[in-house]
Structure formats: C-alpha cells, structure tokens
Amino acid sequence: MLNRQIVQVRPQWQQELAQAISDPYQLAEILELPKSWADHHAAARELFPLRVPRFFVDLMQHKNEQDPLLLQVMPNANEFLQHPEFITDPLQEQQSSYTGILHKYSSRVLVILRGGCAVNCRYCFRRHFPYEQHHFGREQLTQLVALVKSDTAVNEVILSGGDPLMANDTQLSKIIDALEAIPHLKRIRIHTRLPVVIPSRLTKELCQHLARSRLQAVMVLHINHPNEISSLLNTHLNDFRRVGITLLNQSVLLKGVNDSAATLVELSERLFDAGIIPYYLHLLDKVAGASHFDIDEKKARNLLIKVRAQVAGFLVPQLVREIAGEPNKTPI
C-alpha cells in the first residue's frame, strides 16, 4: 500500500496574508515610485513594521506618493517627530487586570483576540500595545466566560485586536459557541479591517456560523476612504448581508487621507451602496508616531457641517473622540 501524505491546503485568505509586503522598496517598485522616496521614509519601519497585502496595494494609484491608501500604510519619516501630547498608550489600555480582556464599558467587554493584523496602519492607536503579554487562548476564554457570567449588565462581547479575524474559523466558532451559552448575552461584535485588505477572509463558513448563532452578530468594518471599497469586498459581503448580519463602519479622520467634505460624502454614499452604515468618525487617538495625521477639532466639526448639508442624516457618521478613563466615546 502506498503511503499517502495528507497535504493541508491553507485557505486563500491565509495564503494572501503570507504574501503581504513588508519591504518599503518592494512597495515603491510595485507602485512605480522612486527609490529616493523609499530612502526618505524606510527607516520608520524600525518604529512600526510595514505590512500590507498585495490586494490592498492593487487598489492604490501608481506614481502617486500622496495616494490616500498608500499614506495609511507606508512608513513615514514624520513618525520620528516627538510631540508631548502623543504617547504610547493614549487610551491607558495597558493597565487591564485581565489578560487580553478590557472591561472599560459597563455593558460591553472587549477581547483582544489576536495581536496581529493583516495590515499595519501607521495611525493605529495600539501600534505600541504589548500584544505578546495579551495572548488569548483556552485559559483566557475560560476567564472571559466567567467574567461575563458574573456580570448580568454585560450584554455584548466585542472581538477586537489586532484583528480578531486573524483567528481562523474553527477558533472563532469555539469562542462564539462558548459565549452564546451565556443567557444574558445578546450580541457579539467583530471589529475588523482584514476583509477590506483581503476580502477572501469573509468565508462562507464564518458567515454560516454567525447566521446560526442565537447571538445577534454585528461586524464593524474599518474603512477610511472610498477607494477601499472594492467590488470584491462588496461581493464577499453579500452573504453576510443576506443572513441579516448588521454591517457598520468606523473611520478615522486623517490629514491627507480623508480630511475633505467631498471625500467623506463619497465614503458615506459608497458605504451605503455596499450595505454598510456609517457609524463613527473618530478623531485621531494621540498615539506616538502619528502626529502628522492629526486634524484639529474645529476643522473636524466644520467638515461634518458640510457633510451634513450634502447627505441624508443616516449617512452622517457620529464624530467622536475616545478619552482615556471615560465610560464611553465622547461625541464632538
């Protein structure tokens, strides 16, 4: 009898993830940008590594150093600028008494399910977060279930990260099954950017498991610019929309990326075309290395006034700032 070796084929999204670009010079070559440009910015990857899937790169405009998608992922020399208000832990999350679990909202518990992301966004407020100290495994799941069971005020669990969809479907199914056994829990929310940069992550298996669960499922995508809403993303979201999973979006207001009324209006319109409700527009969290993206509050307010004058009220995201220690986001 012949010995047959079973070869396990990784899902497409994991294959795409493994091929993500981590070299600024490779990124420059693909986008037909000069080596001198890469020379100027490449050192900033020492502060925070470059990581971007090829699919997302293919959405960028070639020969444009100011492409709004490129600005979000390319290391930038301005990250070396030091600003006293920009610190490594702007939301004071690194003081949690539970490993991988943040209970900063009374009715919700947030789980840092996975430390890694498919894309390293340069403005990420957790770019300095010690993920290696917050591994979420079997012990942490037991701890999470016990915590939620002990507090009947908690009606929602938020899966965050990093990016929770870095976990595979089997791992996510175990977590969903464990949580739905808690009677007073109503919802499970998934905060993710991964489908935007690798749409194939929205698998039929994940969709079916969320659809079968008694918990109401909410997926909060992170899309900052209309050019991020690809036809492939829309196609993969179809199954999730059809089974009644609520799709929301939260953006970050970023200088040079989406700080114009025209861009924000187009973003809201294209989100709604894709069945996604504009939810939050965040002012930048003041994290060290991201001060060059900052927009002052007065300009942000004026932008929303202009947006509100051009679209229906349900297409206007709520402008908010997150303040360390506050029990909820602060409306602006």
Side-chain angles (χ1 to χ4, degrees), residues 40 45 63 91 101 106 158 188 237 250-251 265 273 277:
H40 182 64
R45 63 178 162 172
K63 300 181 180 179
L91 302 185
I101 302 171
S106 61
I158 302 169
I188 186 164
L237 285 173
Q250 57 181 350
S251 306
V265 166
D273 289 345
I277 301 296

Side-chain angles (χ1 to χ4, degrees), residues 68-80:
L69 277 57
L70 175 63
L71 292 177
Q72 295 179 61
V73 302
M74 177 66 185
N76 191 294
N78 287 323
E79 293 175 42
F80 287 101

Side-chain angles (χ1 to χ4, degrees), residues 120-136:
N120 284 348
C121 301
R122 311 311 297 179
Y123 53 87
C124 179
F125 69 96
R126 291 190 183 130
R127 59 182 280 169
H128 305 285
F129 195 86
Y131 288 115
E132 68 282 356
Q133 300 173 22
H134 288 261
H135 171 72
F136 193 91

Side-chain angles (χ1 to χ4, degrees), residues 48-52 56 69-75 79 117-127 193 197 222 224 228 252 254 287 289-290 293:
F48 190 40
L50 167 67
R51 189 182 204 189
V52 56
F56 196 64
L69 277 57
L70 175 63
L71 292 177
Q72 295 179 61
V73 302
M74 177 66 185
E79 293 175 42
C117 289
V119 59
N120 284 348
C121 301
R122 311 311 297 179
Y123 53 87
C124 179
F125 69 96
R126 291 190 183 130
R127 59 182 280 169
R193 185 151 168 78
V197 299
H222 178 176
N224 294 321
E228 298 176 29
V252 180
L254 301 166
V287 63
F293 286 117

Side-chain angles (χ1 to χ4, degrees), residues 4-10:
R4 294 182 178 178
Q5 184 177 8
I6 298 175
V7 178
Q8 198 166 28
V9 179
R10 289 188 298 179

